[in-house]
Amino acid sequence: MKPFRCRLPVRFGDIDQAGVAYYPTLLDHCHAAFEDFFEGALDRPYPKVVMADKIGFPTVHLEADFREPLRYGDRLDMEVSVARLGERSVVFRYRAYRKGSRKPAFEVLATTACVSLRNFKSVTVPGWLRVKLARHVREKA
């Protein structure tokens, strides 16, 4: 299965004094793509996962490579896939391509823990969600 894709703009507020996207704002883009992924690829809006299912996926580890500067007005094609599906964790891969480019401008691997939002303790990824996430596992590509 192909990675989930969504398009996000680089906005004025994303830019630093040097005129390029400030890297923490690019992590915000990853989270926006994460939320779009839940709704668009998993058919369960993330607010429902959080508020109704009482499940969350806080990030516990990040690896990031920033390869090209991004500027105000750039349009990013954000790609989201699952790099690893563990018992109590999920590693999400984000690749951001400047519109029309074949090379990622940045790539992030985000290790998340699956937690109960009732007590913020680690829990097993629920079966219904595991089945949906498994369809998006792409370990290397």
Side-chain angles (χ1 to χ4, degrees):
M1 177 175 282
K2 290 184 179 182
F4 172 78
R5 289 190 94 139
C6 62
R7 180 158 294 152
L8 299 171
V10 176
R11 298 186 186 277
F12 183 78
D14 298 331
I15 304 305
D16 65 14
Q17 193 66 20
V20 297
Y22 185 48
Y23 72 91
T25 66
L26 298 177
L27 297 177
D28 284 338
H29 282 66
C30 291
H31 196 272
F34 169 86
E35 290 188 32
D36 287 355
F37 172 75
F38 266 77
E39 186 162 1
L42 306 181
D43 298 320
R44 183 79 170 155
Y46 195 61
K48 286 189 177 186
V49 173
V50 168
M51 293 184 279
D53 303 329
K54 301 294 186 202
I55 299 287
F57 289 88
T59 299
V60 297
H61 179 76
L62 284 172
E63 295 178 34
D65 290 305
F66 301 97
R67 297 183 180 103
E68 293 182 15
L70 296 166
R71 293 183 170 73
Y72 180 46
D74 282 342
R75 307 293 282 175
L76 298 179
D77 288 323
M78 295 289 296
E79 212 175 72
V80 183
S81 62
V82 175
R84 191 180 67 73
L85 179 56
E87 190 69 25
R88 296 173 176 257
S89 64
V90 182
V91 178
F92 292 95
R93 175 179 283 114
Y94 304 93
R95 287 189 177 130
Y97 298 85
R98 183 179 283 113
K99 186 178 175 188
S101 177
R102 297 178 79 123
K103 294 181 187 176
F106 70 90
E107 182 173 347
V108 173
L109 285 173
T111 303
T112 63
C114 182
V115 300
S116 165
L117 295 178
R118 291 179 175 86
N119 59 14
F120 224 72
K121 301 280 185 194
S122 173
V123 295
T124 301
V125 176
W128 65 268
L129 184 54
R130 174 175 296 287
V131 168
K132 292 180 179 210
L133 287 167
R135 295 181 194 136
H136 298 277
V137 172
R138 292 174 50 99
E139 293 180 14
K140 289 290 178 189

